Amino acid sequence: MHSTCILLWTFWSYCRAMMGRFCLLKNRCLLRQVLPGLPTFMHRQFSLDVSSPLFRTQGYVNGQWINVASTFPVLDPATGEEIAKVADCGPTEAKLAVDAAYKAFYSWKQYTAKERSVLLRKWYDLLTLNKEDLAKLITFECGKPMKESLGEIAYAASFLEWFSEEARRVYGDVVPSATKDRKILLMKQPVGVASIITPWNFPSAMITRKVGAALAAGCTVVVKPAEDTPLSALALAELAGQAGIPAGVFNVVPCSREKTPSVGTILCTDPLVRKVSFTGSTSTGKILLKQAADTVKRVSMELGGHAPFIVFDSADLDKAVAGAMNSKFRNSGQTCVCSNRFLVQSGIHDRFVEKLGKAMDTELRLGHGADPNTTQGPLINVRAAEKVEHQVQDAVSQGAKVLRGGKRLDGSFHQPTLLTDVTTHMLCTKEETFGPLLPVIRFNTEEEALAIANASDVGLAGYFFSQDVSQIWRVTENLEVGMVGVNEGLLSTPEASFGGVKQSGIGREGSKYGVDEYLDVKYMCFGGLTL
């Protein structure tokens, strides 16, 4: 940590001891901070003011809030200040949650599809009603600007709405038989207990996208949220209880980074768990796949991305620039479908880069997510900012030019950065950045662009801009990704399937296919008939 940061921490330790700036009141939780010495955009006070029922810090098992012996801190990534201490659940609590989910499964699966649909709809209504408080939690534990946090809550709620409807559309099949004395029926039944392991970058939506489908199918769940963002998951648990979701159907076991391996082992190896759904890095996904293999569990894996963003000469330049801004800088570049490699055809390259630089100057404002003027919050932690800094330094050392930004700031902040003269030998084109770095590679032909775009072990999303209809079909069919945005930089929606190919994962979330991930197909042969 920089010497200035060390001085700040010393100053703040003294302030906390002398002034007690962090306090929990009866009905509200309030965090205030004053940050002299940080960049000018951080000289304000910011308050986390959330209604008491939604500010939960205990584990949630079998419909009860549980205390454990130890806690871990949740920090505001913009300031490094502690927001709360949360129950540090371990293997014991994880096992209790699995047992509770297993017991609840046998009653929950007997609920009719309509009954499950009604409860999911009530949960959706409560998310919508409490969107402001839920968004504040996201902003303070994840760092997103409030506008984006409100957008995430709407997105999270949309999955509960969608799957409340899909619950009543889980159809089987009656298959024509080759003989007259039997009928063939294919029935769909819930797989059982599902372990849900979610990331920090969408701390509400990644839960509802998985849990909405699981509950609609008749499964019960144990959620392990990311250690950086447990408050959103616990608030969802509170609202699930208010909606009438029965005890044991939805359980949350928050834990620290240190306890994550042992908790994860329980969730992936316990024989009572029949399904594991994970969103996170490819390296962690491979570990969980190996653990789940011993008991042959069903798995869904939404893993790393390295999305190409291709701009062809025929593209509408203004739309391409707008798409690039949306695709790269949402959540400060910390989404799994963020564009990571920008390929721009020679004939339009210089004009695209010029317009993009001006858009960055006009639209991007660094700051705390609670500031209404902020469009770019912090990265999730110092390690994330260091990774971006390292990729910029590597690219510059190999000849890349910095046209905008390029500097690491204090704490978890990094300037939005535009690089040109980038080559495929640079680190930023070989690994996912997860930060506000936009490297531009010049190309000449469609074949060259596709070769660069597909030269990756992962294939989650890809984007391209073109007005050539034949080219649109060719490129869409040849991009080795699970999702393609054509003349569009934002593609996520509950109605469409979400997932990748190659090492970007297994299975699909959202859409009508999302429920299938939590269903077994049972074949019934009804014989001995006289027809």
Side-chain angles (χ1 to χ4, degrees):
M1 185 178 290
H2 299 306
S3 59
T4 55
C5 293
I6 294 172
L7 289 172
L8 283 169
W9 279 113
T10 303
F11 170 74
W12 272 107
S13 296
Y14 172 79
C15 285
R16 285 196 299 270
M18 297 299 293
M19 301 172 65
R21 297 296 275 175
F22 180 74
C23 60
L24 286 177
L25 303 178
K26 253 183 189 179
N27 298 316
R28 316 293 279 182
C29 78
L30 186 63
L31 173 67
R32 300 193 182 278
Q33 58 255 354
V34 183
L35 298 171
L38 285 180
T40 55
F41 57 72
M42 292 301 294
H43 283 180
R44 289 185 50 191
Q45 289 186 345
F46 300 100
S47 302
L48 173 58
D49 189 4
V50 176
S51 67
S52 181
L54 292 183
F55 193 82
R56 293 289 187 173
T57 59
Q58 301 163 292
Y60 187 72
V61 176
N62 201 28
Q64 301 293 320
W65 295 103
I66 62 169
N67 291 309
V68 297
S70 60
T71 61
F72 67 97
V74 179
L75 307 179
D76 179 348
T79 65
E81 281 294 296
E82 183 177 292
I83 300 170
K85 292 185 182 296
V86 172
D88 194 3
C89 296
T92 299
E93 290 75 32
K95 177 58 177 170
L96 287 173
V98 169
D99 290 346
Y102 184 74
K103 181 179 179 181
F105 170 65
Y106 287 94
S107 58
W108 179 245
K109 72 175 183 177
Q110 298 301 326
Y111 278 53
T112 67
K114 183 176 181 179
E115 288 171 333
R116 293 196 296 268
S117 173
V118 167
L119 290 173
L120 284 169
R121 179 70 195 199
K122 288 180 179 177
W123 198 10
Y124 158 81
D125 289 337
L126 286 170
L127 259 70
T128 303
L129 182 65
N130 292 276
K131 61 183 180 182
E132 292 285 344
D133 279 348
L134 294 172
K136 289 175 186 176
L137 289 174
I138 292 175
T139 289
F140 274 82
E141 67 177 347
C142 177
K144 288 183 183 180
M146 268 297 290
K147 183 178 179 180
E148 288 193 24
S149 295
L150 285 166
E152 178 178 344
I153 294 305
Y155 183 51
S158 73
F159 284 107
L160 297 181
E161 179 184 40
W162 172 259
F163 286 117
S164 74
E165 298 161 351
E166 286 298 291
R168 302 184 69 180
R169 294 195 285 262
V170 177
Y171 304 132
D173 297 290
V174 178
V175 181
S177 172
T179 61
K180 294 182 178 180
D181 64 344
R182 66 182 63 181
K183 292 291 183 181
I184 297 174
L185 291 86
L186 304 180
M187 300 183 293
K188 293 183 178 180
Q189 296 182 312
V191 299
V193 177
S195 293
I196 308 294
I197 305 174
T198 56
W200 51 262
N201 59 336
F202 284 87
S204 290
M206 293 303 95
I207 292 175
T208 58
R209 191 165 73 187
K210 298 171 186 291
V211 173
L215 269 57
C219 296
T220 55
V221 301
V222 179
V223 177
K224 194 211 83 65
E227 65 274 9
D228 295 300
T229 55
L231 299 178
S232 292
L234 296 170
L236 291 179
E238 169 64 27
L239 295 179
Q242 291 182 23
I245 304 294
V249 172
F250 182 75
N251 306 274
V252 181
V253 284
C255 67
S256 62
R257 184 181 302 273
E258 291 73 24
K259 288 188 179 178
T260 290
S262 59
V263 170
T265 297
I266 294 293
L267 298 183
C268 292
T269 63
D270 192 296
L272 299 184
V273 174
R274 294 308 314 147
K275 164 80 180 185
V276 176
S277 180
F278 169 73
T279 295
S281 70
T282 298
S283 58
T284 301
K286 290 177 179 179
I287 294 170
L288 302 186
L289 278 169
K290 291 176 182 177
Q291 292 179 339
D294 283 344
T295 45
V296 196
K297 301 187 191 306
R298 291 276 295 276
V299 295
S300 299
M301 297 278 155
E302 194 261 282
L303 307 177
H306 192 36
F309 186 105
I310 308 171
V311 184
F312 290 102
D313 282 344
S314 68
D316 181 310
L317 193 56
D318 291 332
K319 289 182 179 179
V321 169
M325 293 292 290
N326 285 331
S327 179
K328 176 74 263 185
F329 295 113
R330 185 167 58 115
N331 196 19
S332 298
Q334 299 174 112
T335 83
C336 53
V337 292
C338 269
S339 296
N340 216 55
R341 298 166 292 157
F342 287 76
L343 287 65
V344 183
Q345 199 160 13
S346 296
I348 205 171
H349 176 277
D350 292 350
R351 286 182 292 147
F352 175 82
V353 169
E354 181 183 2
K355 280 182 172 284
L356 182 60
K358 290 179 179 178
M360 291 174 65
D361 293 340
T362 302
E363 299 177 26
L364 303 183
R365 293 289 180 272
L366 278 167
H368 194 289
D371 187 330
N373 295 318
T374 294
T375 65
Q376 295 288 286
L379 301 185
I380 189 62
N381 52 41
V382 170
R383 294 188 307 277
E386 289 172 345
K387 181 179 181 181
V388 178
E389 180 183 35
H390 177 58
Q391 288 194 359
V392 171
Q393 290 173 346
D394 170 80
V396 171
S397 71
Q398 297 188 59
K401 295 179 181 177
V402 178
L403 294 192
R404 295 293 189 283
K407 294 181 180 180
R408 163 88 182 281
L409 303 175
D410 284 343
S412 299
F413 284 90
H414 195 289
Q415 290 180 328
T417 298
L418 173 61
L419 299 180
T420 58
D421 293 345
V422 174
T423 71
T424 56
H425 300 293
M426 297 172 184
L427 194 59
C428 59
T429 68
K430 295 180 179 180
E431 64 178 31
E432 190 175 24
T433 302
F434 239 62
L437 171 57
L438 197 159
V440 179
I441 303 170
R442 185 192 296 262
F443 73 90
N444 294 312
T445 67
E446 179 183 312
E447 293 74 18
E448 180 187 0
L450 283 169
I452 295 171
N454 292 334
S456 173
D457 291 333
V458 295
L460 187 58
Y463 308 85
F464 69 92
F465 281 71
S466 170
Q467 297 185 83
D468 181 332
V469 175
S470 296
Q471 182 177 65
I472 286 171
W473 282 109
R474 288 194 307 269
V475 175
T476 296
E477 291 182 349
N478 285 289
L479 273 177
E480 296 173 358
V481 296
M483 299 172 283
V484 181
V486 182
N487 297 326
E488 178 57 63
L490 298 175
L491 43 69
S492 299
T493 180
E495 295 83 4
S497 62
F498 192 103
V501 300
K502 299 196 278 190
Q503 293 188 35
S504 280
I506 301 168
R508 292 295 182 267
E509 295 182 343
S511 77
K512 66 177 183 179
Y513 301 107
V515 178
D516 288 341
E517 297 289 332
Y518 297 89
L519 293 168
D520 286 326
V521 178
K522 179 180 284 185
Y523 161 40
M524 175 185 176
C525 180
F526 191 171
L529 302 176
T530 303
L531 300 173

